[in-house]
Amino acid sequence: MTIPSVNLSQKPEVTGFFDPGSNTITYVVRDPGSTACAIVDPVMEFDLAAGRLTFESADQVIAYIRENDLTLEWIIETHVHADHLSAAPYLQQELGGKIGIGEHVQTVQDTFGKIFNEGTEFQRDGSQFDALFADGEAYQLGDISCFALHTPGHTPACMVHVIGDAVFVGDTLFMPDGGSARADFPGGDAGQLYDSIQRVLSLPDEMRLFICHDYGPGGRAIAWETTIGEQKAKNIHVGGGKSREEFIKFRTERDAQLAVPKLILPSLQVNMRAGEVPEDDEGDMMLKTPINKL
């Protein structure tokens, strides 16, 4: 599909909130001409050893939105995250807004519904979310024109969101010195990831690009804003015209060396449910640990 046209004159205000536990950046994106805002990739903290959920990161976001008298219209998940739990339901309860994700979440739900041995009561049609974005689908944030791009490779449901002159890339790309996301999770594909990245990099060079994770490679300070042009020139995995074959070889070899994210099992169970924690027959929140399934 052809990428929709971009209105570079629309410049949303973007504020990032860094969660050190998962190295995730949550964004509040504001239309400067109104009170409308969106939240991108919110975090709910989970102490794995204690089995305890908390909302420090989400509470910071809530405080910011209330202090600035903003109106939450969207809570956007760029994909079903495997390294942190989503705080989307908590934020919606406090502030309203619609929870949206890419329509291919159904593929993710089907894959992991089997891995976690979910029963027929677990719907695999994406109905846990308020909106399922199709490739190229347009939407509004206040007066700002937005659209979503399907960018599979890291996961089948990954989507990049273009809001005015700002691009929210999820895990598809990291900062230029961080490279790109892994592609070895179920449903991932290094060739698809390369193609998706090239699609993102076909956007105008001057567009601002905001990433979902940063780990401060080489000890540098945490950062989360770059540009399309900088990624094209300097990204260590795809910049400077690296070929599809080079990328697939590197990504495959690199992924084989990576450890499984420590929160992958709780994250997937919660995030494929739009942030809701599954419950047992007595109504108590309960998570599963499948053995030798990943």
Side-chain angles (χ1 to χ4, degrees):
M1 177 180 176
T2 302
I3 295 177
S5 60
V6 176
N7 187 345
L8 295 175
S9 68
Q10 294 185 324
K11 301 182 182 296
E13 297 177 4
V14 181
T15 303
F17 296 82
F18 180 69
D19 173 56
S22 62
N23 289 80
T24 303
I25 301 94
T26 296
Y27 296 101
V28 175
V29 190
R30 176 182 180 179
D31 170 19
S34 72
T35 63
C37 73
I39 297 171
V40 181
D41 291 332
V43 174
M44 174 171 61
E45 290 82 11
F46 181 57
D47 183 333
L48 183 61
R52 182 173 295 111
L53 299 170
T54 53
F55 298 95
E56 288 91 344
S57 178
D59 285 337
Q60 291 180 40
V61 172
I62 291 168
Y64 175 84
I65 288 174
R66 286 177 172 163
E67 287 167 5
N68 288 276
D69 295 322
L70 303 181
T71 303
L72 182 60
E73 294 190 347
W74 288 101
I75 303 168
I76 294 169
E77 301 286 3
T78 55
H79 62 294
V80 176
H81 303 274
D83 48 18
H84 70 268
L85 284 66
S86 172
Y90 178 74
L91 290 162
Q92 187 178 57
Q93 175 183 308
E94 295 295 318
L95 300 170
K98 295 180 180 180
I99 302 172
I101 198 168
E103 63 180 351
H104 291 278
V105 69
Q106 298 172 17
T107 302
V108 177
Q109 290 175 329
D110 185 60
T111 298
F112 289 103
K114 295 172 183 174
I115 288 175
F116 289 109
N117 194 27
E118 301 290 354
T120 55
E121 69 276 6
F122 173 58
Q123 299 300 308
R124 294 159 169 83
D125 58 1
S127 57
Q128 299 87 346
F129 299 83
D130 300 311
L132 299 178
F133 293 105
D135 184 36
E137 182 171 345
Y139 62 100
Q140 289 290 125
L141 178 64
D143 296 323
I144 296 180
S145 300
C146 316
F147 62 87
L149 292 177
H150 185 214
T151 53
H154 175 56
T155 80
C158 286
M159 298 205 81
V160 166
H161 285 259
V162 177
I163 302 177
D165 77 332
V167 182
F168 298 88
V169 77
D171 286 6
T172 300
L173 285 167
F174 296 150
M175 293 295 287
D177 60 349
S180 62
R182 64 195 299 165
D184 61 334
F185 294 151
D189 182 276
Q192 277 191 335
L193 180 59
Y194 181 87
D195 296 340
S196 293
I197 291 171
Q198 297 307 311
R199 194 178 192 208
V200 174
L201 296 184
S202 71
L203 292 165
D205 284 359
E206 60 267 42
M207 294 192 76
R208 297 178 290 162
L209 188 147
F210 297 90
I211 63 164
C212 185
H213 298 288
D214 188 57
Y215 302 93
R220 69 152 167 77
I222 297 297
W224 53 73
E225 180 178 350
T226 177
T227 66
I228 295 291
E230 187 176 21
Q231 291 280 10
K232 286 165 65 174
K234 299 179 180 179
N235 186 283
I236 60 172
H237 294 174
V238 295
K242 289 187 175 62
S243 72
R244 193 176 193 269
E245 292 71 24
E246 288 176 308
F247 178 81
I248 292 173
K249 182 177 185 296
F250 165 80
R251 189 70 266 170
T252 302
E253 293 174 352
R254 173 63 175 154
D255 289 349
Q257 302 170 16
L258 296 176
V260 175
K262 65 179 181 179
L263 292 181
I264 187 170
L265 294 178
S267 294
L268 292 172
Q269 290 175 79
V270 169
N271 296 340
M272 69 181 182
R273 291 175 164 86
E276 296 287 355
V277 181
E279 298 178 347
D280 63 15
D281 293 340
E282 283 70 47
D284 294 320
M285 291 188 290
M286 197 69 62
L287 296 165
K288 298 177 181 178
T289 303
I291 305 300
N292 295 333
K293 289 292 186 73
L294 289 180

